[in-house]
């Protein structure tokens, strides 16, 4: 009987010899797949959208052509502006208030007088038109951008495409001083190897010469998608991107959305709003033992005293934000009707966001960093396009979906990232905190001077940091 059982036991053992390794292979494969999927990098879904008028949506294929565009003005436009400036109603300021109550009305009188009698809008239109402007229709709205290529490229140098994205209350014009430095660095004393750029500067939809969205919900994700489509339409597969203010949020979303298209991300402002127990402990310990929580000495100098720099200063500078994130059209209609009101509202930000100490100065320190021609040209871009209301709505659309601007921070940024930390920026984010979102920071520079409007105020410093960042990426 034992002999009779031998063939059967041999048959079972032969089956086991096949089944057990197969099962082990199957279980091991499933485990490996689980481990690999757990490490898969999450991205933001690109999706799609339509922002044009509803009645235009189904009227044939969208016009994907790139159309040359030129900024123009007229006697009628200038006469209307002068008439409104002549009717400015002056409100006496509180004695000794400087810029602590907002824009000093006595200094505003000087600005209005210059605007009315010396500012030459026709001349500034020529300045704006010195770079090539274009329009193209994406997702139902016309997108405005400038696209500038270097006139001469030395032998052996490759031209890298670079998308620069502005914020509020700025415009594409913020980049006019930095563009020549990026296109011809050696000519401007920035002899940084073989890095040369062609520059694309779009206007955020609803800002300046980009058409305003006609539908609700247009946020930074929609903007990021449209700018990716723009770069694709221009024939670029890979490109560098740079931004501050809303431009930082938009370009970060671009890196989270299509990391394979973003060769490098450079920022001069970082949004890190997430609060946690670890962050609170770091904040408390950092004032006494900064090295223990990963802060440098410069981080500690910029970050403390904490309440003054991160609570009181932010509260003083963020009243506009609450209005624009809730009822932008109410305040906006007055600004859209009054050039003086518009100038005061916008230029106050160019004072205190450039340097918080300018609140103590009667002239807001504006002319110590910029010329009135430069400042009023930016204001005029909003005025002649009637775009202040639609630009303010951008806050409503973004904050309505994400009140603390934190949702997208759950998706890591893995593309090479460079951060230029300017000392007068509204808030300072230490590198150790930035790494919570930006996982591949290859350069973090404590800039020696400058504030929120970096390209406008310190173009050479910012250009140099961008160039050095791109050099590092190219060597990876």
């Amino acid at each position: 009987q034992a002999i009779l059982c031998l063939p059967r036991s041999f048959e079972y053992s032969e089956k086991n010899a096949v089944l057990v390794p197969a099962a082990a292979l199957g279980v091991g494969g499933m485990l490996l797949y689980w481990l690999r999927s757990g490490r898969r990098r999450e991205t933001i879904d690109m999706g799609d959208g339509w922002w044009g008028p509803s009645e235009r949506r189904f009227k044939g294929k969208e016009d994907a052509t790139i159309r040359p565009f030129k900024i123009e003005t007229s006697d009628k436009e200038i006469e209307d502006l002068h008439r409104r400036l002549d009717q400015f109603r002056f409100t006496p300021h509180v004695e000794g208030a400087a810029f602590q109550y907002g824009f000093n009305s006595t200094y505003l009188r000087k600005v209005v007088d210059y605007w009315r009698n010396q500012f030459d809008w026709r001349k500034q239109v020529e300045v704006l038109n010195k770079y090539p402007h274009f329009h193209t229709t994406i997702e139902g709205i016309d997108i405005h951008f400038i696209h500038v290529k270097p006139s001469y490229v030395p032998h052996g140098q490759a031209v890298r495409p670079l998308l620069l994205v502005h914020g509020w209350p700025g415009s594409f014009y913020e980049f006019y001083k930095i563009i020549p430095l990026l296109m011809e660095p050696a000519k401007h004393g920035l002899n940084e190897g073989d890095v040369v750029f062609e520059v694309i500067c779009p206007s955020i939809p609803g800002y300046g010469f980009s058409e305003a969205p006609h539908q609700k919900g247009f946020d930074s994700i929609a903007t990021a998608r449209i700018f990716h489509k723009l770069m694709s339409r221009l024939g670029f597969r890979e490109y560098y991107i740079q931004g501050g203010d809303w431009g930082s949020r938009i370009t970060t979303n671009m890196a989270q959305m299509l990391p394979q298209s973003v060769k490098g991300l450079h920022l001069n402002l970082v949004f890190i709003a997430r609060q946690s127990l670890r962050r609170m402990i770091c904040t408390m310990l950092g004032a006494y033992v900064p090295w223990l929580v990963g802060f440098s000495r410069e981080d500690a100098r910029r970050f403390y005293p904490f309440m003054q720099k991160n609570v009181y200063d932010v509260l003083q500078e963020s009243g506009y934000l609450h209005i624009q994130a809730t009822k932008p059209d109410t305040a906006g209609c007055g600004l859209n009707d009054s050039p003086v009101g518009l100038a005061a509202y916008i230029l106050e930000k160019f004072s205190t966001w450039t340097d918080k100490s300018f609140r103590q100065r009667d002239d807001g320190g504006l002319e110590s960093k910029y010329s009135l021609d430069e400042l009023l040209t930016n204001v005029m871009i909003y005025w002649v396009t009637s775009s202040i209301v639609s630009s303010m709505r951008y806050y409503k659309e973004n904050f309505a979906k994400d009140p603390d601007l934190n949702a997208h921070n759950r998706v890591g940024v893995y593309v090479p990232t460079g951060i230029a930390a300017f000392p007068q920026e509204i808030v300072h984010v230490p590198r150790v905190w930035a790494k919570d979102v930006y996982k591949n920071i290859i350069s973090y520079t404590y800039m020696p001077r400058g504030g929120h409007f970096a390209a406008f105020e310190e173009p050479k410093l910012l250009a140099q940091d961008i160039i050095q960042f791109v050099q590092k990426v190219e060597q990876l």
Side-chain angles (χ1 to χ4, degrees):
Q1 190 173 3
I3 293 171
L4 290 174
C5 288
L6 280 173
R8 187 178 298 173
S9 64
F10 175 77
E11 184 180 351
Y12 285 147
S13 64
E14 190 175 32
K15 286 182 180 179
N16 288 340
V18 175
L19 291 174
V20 171
L25 188 63
V27 171
M30 290 176 66
L31 181 62
L32 181 63
Y33 174 80
W34 180 77
L35 288 171
R36 286 173 64 91
S37 63
R39 290 198 300 267
R40 188 176 297 152
R41 292 173 179 174
E42 187 181 358
T43 58
I44 291 176
D45 181 35
M46 188 165 181
D48 208 352
W50 174 267
W51 309 104
S54 299
E55 64 270 15
R56 210 165 67 200
R57 185 165 191 172
F58 303 105
K59 291 187 177 180
K61 191 176 180 182
E62 186 168 85
D63 179 9
T65 60
I66 306 293
R67 306 179 295 277
F69 171 74
K70 190 175 182 179
I71 299 171
E72 297 178 341
T73 188
S74 65
D75 290 341
K76 183 178 179 181
E77 183 174 74
I78 295 171
E79 287 167 5
D80 176 67
L81 171 68
H82 287 173
R83 177 182 60 81
R84 292 168 186 263
L85 293 177
D86 287 338
Q87 294 174 352
F88 166 44
R89 293 200 302 174
F90 173 74
T91 304
H93 73 282
V94 178
E95 292 182 12
F99 262 58
Q100 294 169 356
Y101 282 61
F103 205 101
N104 184 296
S105 58
T106 299
Y107 178 65
L108 183 59
R109 264 183 147 166
K110 177 188 173 182
V111 173
V112 172
D113 180 70
Y114 181 88
W115 198 358
R116 174 63 178 86
N117 299 305
Q118 293 177 258
F119 179 77
D120 188 343
W121 175 231
R122 291 188 185 279
K123 179 182 175 182
Q124 295 308 115
V125 165
E126 291 178 11
V127 171
L128 292 174
N129 282 327
K130 75 176 181 177
Y131 295 131
H133 293 249
F134 301 91
H135 267 159
T136 191
T137 306
I138 303 177
E139 298 188 5
I141 52 178
D142 286 346
I143 305 302
H144 163 260
F145 64 98
I146 59 174
H147 185 184
V148 192
K149 302 177 183 179
S151 56
Y152 169 73
V153 180
H155 180 71
Q157 288 190 335
V159 179
R160 281 87 171 175
L162 172 64
L163 181 80
L164 300 175
V165 185
H166 66 88
W168 186 92
S171 65
F172 66 93
Y173 177 61
E174 282 181 72
F175 300 112
Y176 267 48
K177 289 187 280 188
I178 200 174
I179 288 172
L181 309 183
L182 295 169
M183 289 197 306
E184 299 177 300
K187 183 178 177 181
H188 296 88
L190 295 171
N191 191 11
E192 298 286 351
D194 61 350
V195 176
V196 176
F197 298 97
E198 62 177 292
V199 178
I200 301 91
C201 294
S203 294
I204 298 172
Y207 288 68
F209 299 99
S210 275
E211 185 177 355
H214 297 260
Q215 311 297 326
K216 293 191 294 184
F218 187 86
D219 59 4
S220 62
I221 295 292
T223 314
R225 180 178 64 244
I226 281 177
F227 287 172
H228 271 308
K229 289 182 177 182
L230 170 63
M231 295 301 279
S232 175
R233 192 170 289 184
L234 292 172
F236 300 117
R237 289 187 176 182
E238 270 192 329
Y239 32 90
Y240 289 93
I241 54 180
Q242 199 283 333
D245 196 85
W246 281 123
S248 169
R249 169 85 162 186
I250 293 163
T251 53
T252 294
N253 290 161
M254 291 177 74
Q256 294 165 319
M257 185 179 288
L258 287 179
Q260 66 272 23
S261 294
V262 177
K263 199 165 184 183
L265 166 67
H266 188 279
L267 306 171
N268 56 279
L269 174 65
V270 174
F271 287 104
I272 302 288
R274 185 188 306 163
Q275 296 300 322
S276 65
L277 180 61
R278 180 179 71 88
R279 188 74 55 80
M280 291 173 61
I281 293 171
C282 284
T283 299
M284 289 186 288
L285 293 177
Y288 306 101
V289 282
W291 51 269
L292 188 64
V293 296
F295 288 2
S296 69
R297 285 185 178 179
E298 185 62 18
D299 287 328
R301 191 181 71 80
R302 296 186 183 191
F303 202 63
Y304 298 101
F306 177 81
M307 290 301 291
Q308 179 62 51
K309 294 187 175 181
N310 298 276
V311 179
Y312 301 143
D313 283 346
V314 172
L315 284 173
Q316 279 192 294
E317 294 301 326
S318 58
Y320 81 99
L321 188 150
H322 190 74
I323 293 172
Q324 295 179 192
T326 53
K327 304 290 181 65
D329 287 32
T330 304
C333 68
L335 301 177
N336 195 48
D337 192 58
S338 167
V340 178
L342 179 67
Y345 196 72
I346 288 177
L347 296 187
E348 180 236 302
K349 305 308 177 192
F350 279 87
S351 166
T352 52
W353 293 1
T354 295
D355 190 323
K356 289 180 279 292
S357 71
F358 287 172
R359 285 195 292 256
Q360 316 305 324
R361 296 174 59 168
D362 289 341
D363 63 356
L366 280 168
E367 293 177 76
S368 65
K369 294 287 187 174
Y370 317 101
S371 72
L372 285 180
D373 280 346
E374 290 171 344
L375 293 168
L376 290 171
T377 297
N378 183 68
V379 173
M380 286 295 290
I381 290 170
Y382 283 87
W383 176 254
V384 301
T385 58
S386 294
S387 60
I388 187 62
V389 178
S390 51
S391 76
M392 292 164 69
R393 286 178 189 152
Y394 202 64
Y395 287 77
K396 171 77 170 177
E397 304 294 13
N398 281 285
F399 282 94
K401 296 178 181 178
D402 186 11
D404 60 359
L405 294 184
N406 191 41
H408 304 154
N409 289 349
R410 299 185 185 98
V411 179
V413 175
Y414 293 91
V415 305
T417 302
I419 297 172
F422 285 84
Q424 290 296 331
E425 185 55 88
I426 300 168
V427 291
H428 175 69
V429 176
R431 178 175 184 151
V432 67
W433 288 8
K435 285 167 64 178
D436 288 347
V437 176
Y438 302 92
K439 310 295 186 181
N440 189 13
I441 298 174
I442 65 171
S443 74
Y444 183 103
T445 311
Y446 297 99
M447 306 305 281
R449 62 185 179 275
H452 187 71
F453 303 99
F456 206 40
E457 179 193 354
E458 295 288 350
K460 196 164 186 176
L461 283 179
L462 183 61
Q464 189 169 37
D465 199 69
I466 294 170
I467 291 168
Q468 290 174 350
F469 162 70
V470 170
Q471 280 184 314
K472 290 181 180 180
V473 176
E474 294 291 326
Q475 292 167 5
L476 293 177

